[in-house]
Amino acid sequence: MMRKWIILAVLLLVVLAGGIPLYIHRNFKEEVVAGEGVTGFFKLSKYFSGIEGTIADTDVFELKGSEEGGKMLIIAGTHESEPSAALAAFYLIENLKVDRGTVYIIPHFNRSGSLGTQPGGGFPLYFSMETPWGEKTFRMGDRGFQALDQWPDPDVYIHYPEGQAMSYIDARNTNRAWPGRPDGLYAEQVTYAAMEMIKKEKIDIVIDLHEAEAMYPVTNCIVVPEKSMSYATGASFYVKGREKFENHVERSPTAFRGLSHREIGDWSDAYPFLLESPGVHLDQITAAKTPELIMDGIDPFVLKAAEKGLLFVPYDENGFSMDRRVGQHSSVIQEIVVQWSKKNPERGLTISAPRYKEIVDNGLGYFFKDPSKADKSDVYLQ
Amino acid sequence: MTFIMILYYVMTAYVVGMLIWNFIKTKDIKSEILYALALLPLILRLLRMK
């Protein structure tokens, strides 16, 4: 009998040692300080009450300019294992100035995914960056909804409304669930709510921020359907010519359903753009998945792959840092807006925030405000 | 939480109960360790930790 108690005690210790850090991570709050540009804050459930009070509901920041103009929605955290997206959103919430038009920012579109890491993925629970006022810590997340929140998975995920059969795991993937439906899985309900927002607010531009592996061809690029192509091409040329970084354009496939860059354009009047920056922590061949790897993007095995010509991005011993990835997102977003506003002056936007070079030169942490010194009403917990 | 998800939690609780029952009944140390290991992910799910 004593033996059984010892085994149970060991089991309890393992449950507590393994479970408590996961519980703390799930309840850890990131702090974002609303910048001067933020004029409003509400829940996405404003557009679909079916997600109110559920894990599918999420925060929306509104940045409205003094002059009427077009509208842009920036979605980050579709895949929460791609952290430069959420960091770019936090950065824009704290730094973006909007003179004309309205910008909406959702930092954690897949909130459930932001509350846990990929089982078996070996990712750290947190990563941090240096700022002038100290260390700022963020949660690492998972690609899809947590099974804690959306369970069980179907044997095969059938996309609505096209009926395309996909892997079971994509039932929890918010970038296979567009345009969504009100009575579907949580991943479908949150995309449905966003589609309702896009239609009701008459959003012109939708930006969906991502990261992709350096060994995956659709990386370091802007993925667009036909109607967004000219704007993306203009932005791509500009950042390559003027800001000296590569960001090519990929055409959104018409036969692959559920993706933001396909369905948003097909089911609304908005022009979608999916931005990919290279997150080498996502590559399978890396050494340990450490917080430093997430931040610096420096890995000896990825470098070896680069020497053998196996990567789809320029890569050297300097890696692909978070500063560069967020800097790219900032510049490409702003240049898409410039291209859009040139061709649609009546629906144009005028926005500004530090771009690629300034972020890389100063470090991303330089641009984050100290929550302890900010007015409490400006600090939002994410 | 959807109805089917609630059902899955009930099923998990049932399996946890059966594993604990078998753990108590068995006299073989290997089986005891095996039942304890099998319990681990199910308890983490029931406690909504992972």
Side-chain angles (χ1 to χ4, degrees):
Chain A
M1 196 61 189
M2 176 59 81
R3 190 176 71 209
K4 286 186 194 295
W5 282 112
I6 291 170
I7 291 172
L8 278 180
V10 172
L11 173 66
L12 182 67
L13 276 176
V14 173
V15 166
L16 293 177
I20 288 174
L22 299 175
Y23 180 82
I24 292 170
H25 175 259
R26 191 170 165 82
N27 291 281
F28 177 84
K29 301 293 182 197
E30 298 161 320
E31 293 174 311
V32 57
V33 182
E36 291 170 20
V38 175
T39 52
F41 172 82
F42 53 86
K43 292 280 186 183
L44 185 60
S45 55
K46 176 180 170 184
Y47 301 95
F48 171 49
S49 60
I51 58 170
E52 191 174 353
T54 73
I55 193 72
D57 204 359
T58 191
D59 296 335
V60 184
F61 291 80
E62 181 190 70
L63 293 79
K64 192 169 187 175
S66 54
E67 197 183 334
E68 287 294 318
K71 293 185 175 181
M72 173 166 67
L73 170 63
I74 299 172
I75 296 171
T78 293
H79 294 151
E80 295 282 0
S81 55
E82 299 163 13
S84 77
L87 264 60
F90 291 152
Y91 162 79
L92 292 171
I93 289 165
E94 298 206 5
N95 296 279
L96 187 69
K97 291 187 177 68
V98 181
D99 293 319
R100 184 180 178 217
T102 307
V103 177
Y104 300 97
I105 303 174
I106 302 177
H108 284 307
F109 187 59
N110 174 5
R111 194 159 65 91
S112 166
S114 80
L115 303 177
T117 53
Q118 180 193 333
F123 288 100
L125 296 176
Y126 310 93
F127 59 96
S128 303
M129 74 171 61
E130 291 300 325
T131 73
W133 43 267
E135 203 167 67
K136 190 170 175 68
T137 301
F138 302 91
R139 289 191 307 270
M140 183 60 181
D142 193 1
R143 181 175 171 84
F145 260 72
Q146 294 288 289
L148 272 185
D149 301 311
Q150 185 180 299
W151 188 43
D153 295 325
D155 289 339
V156 177
Y157 168 56
I158 307 293
H159 173 259
Y160 175 84
E162 299 290 344
Q164 187 169 60
M166 299 186 197
S167 162
Y168 74 97
I169 200 75
D170 281 332
R172 287 192 264 128
N173 185 345
T174 41
N175 204 27
R176 299 294 182 275
W178 295 91
R181 53 180 158 175
D183 56 350
L185 301 164
Y186 275 147
E188 295 174 301
Q189 290 185 26
V190 69
T191 52
Y192 175 80
M195 282 304 297
E196 289 297 291
M197 178 184 181
I198 290 164
K199 290 176 194 166
K200 284 178 184 163
E201 295 293 346
K202 296 185 169 49
I203 303 281
D204 300 291
I205 301 168
V206 179
I207 305 279
D208 186 12
L209 298 174
H210 286 257
E211 288 185 78
E213 298 89 336
M215 295 183 78
Y216 181 59
V218 188
T219 190
N220 209 28
C221 62
I222 314 169
V223 190
V224 286
E226 299 71 23
K227 70 182 198 180
S228 305
M229 189 63 76
S230 63
Y231 307 109
T233 306
S236 175
F237 279 149
Y238 182 90
V239 297
K240 185 171 184 181
R242 292 288 181 85
E243 302 198 34
K244 309 297 176 200
F245 67 83
E246 195 77 41
N247 211 241
H248 69 280
V249 177
E250 289 275 347
R251 183 183 292 272
S252 169
T254 53
F256 188 5
R257 307 310 305 194
L259 297 122
S260 62
H261 53 73
R262 169 50 46 198
E263 307 294 352
I264 291 172
D266 285 2
W267 293 88
S268 77
D269 294 330
Y271 287 69
F273 300 83
L274 187 148
L275 275 50
E276 296 276 14
S277 69
V280 300
H281 64 280
L282 297 166
D283 281 286
Q284 296 296 317
I285 60 164
T286 65
K289 310 280 191 191
T290 60
E292 292 74 27
L293 175 63
I294 292 169
M295 288 303 298
D296 300 334
I298 298 173
D299 183 81
F301 298 101
V302 176
L303 184 60
K304 185 64 76 179
E307 288 164 6
K308 292 184 179 297
L310 298 172
L311 304 189
F312 292 90
V313 293
Y315 189 87
D316 58 25
E317 65 281 357
N318 296 313
F320 225 108
S321 68
M322 187 65 81
D323 301 342
R324 286 178 68 187
R325 282 132 66 196
V326 172
Q328 288 196 182
H329 281 329
S330 176
S331 282
V332 175
I333 290 170
Q334 292 184 66
E335 198 47 40
I336 286 170
V337 166
V338 169
Q339 299 293 329
W340 166 267
S341 301
K342 273 185 198 165
K343 291 177 185 164
N344 303 275
E346 73 290 353
R347 295 289 296 169
L349 296 96
T350 307
I351 63 171
S352 62
R355 299 172 75 130
Y356 178 76
K357 185 173 185 310
E358 204 173 335
I359 295 172
V360 171
D361 287 350
N362 291 288
L364 180 62
Y366 173 81
F367 296 97
F368 284 117
K369 298 177 179 69
D370 184 353
S372 68
K373 299 240 171 68
D375 190 316
K376 291 292 167 215
S377 63
D378 289 335
V379 179
Y380 292 85
L381 301 178
Q382 293 293 301
Chain B
M1 194 179 283
T2 60
F3 176 67
I4 193 166
M5 192 163 162
I6 294 167
L7 273 183
Y8 265 69
Y9 273 97
V10 171
M11 286 159 59
T12 307
Y14 175 76
V15 174
V16 165
M18 290 297 99
L19 284 169
I20 291 172
W21 176 257
N22 284 341
F23 176 82
I24 294 167
K25 286 291 172 190
T26 187
K27 292 184 174 18
D28 175 24
I29 185 171
K30 284 184 185 168
S31 295
E32 285 172 357
I33 294 170
L34 185 65
Y35 289 134
L37 282 173
L39 274 168
L40 179 59
L42 300 174
I43 289 172
L44 286 172
R45 177 56 56 90
L46 271 187
L47 296 176
R48 291 187 52 74
M49 285 176 166
K50 191 65 178 180

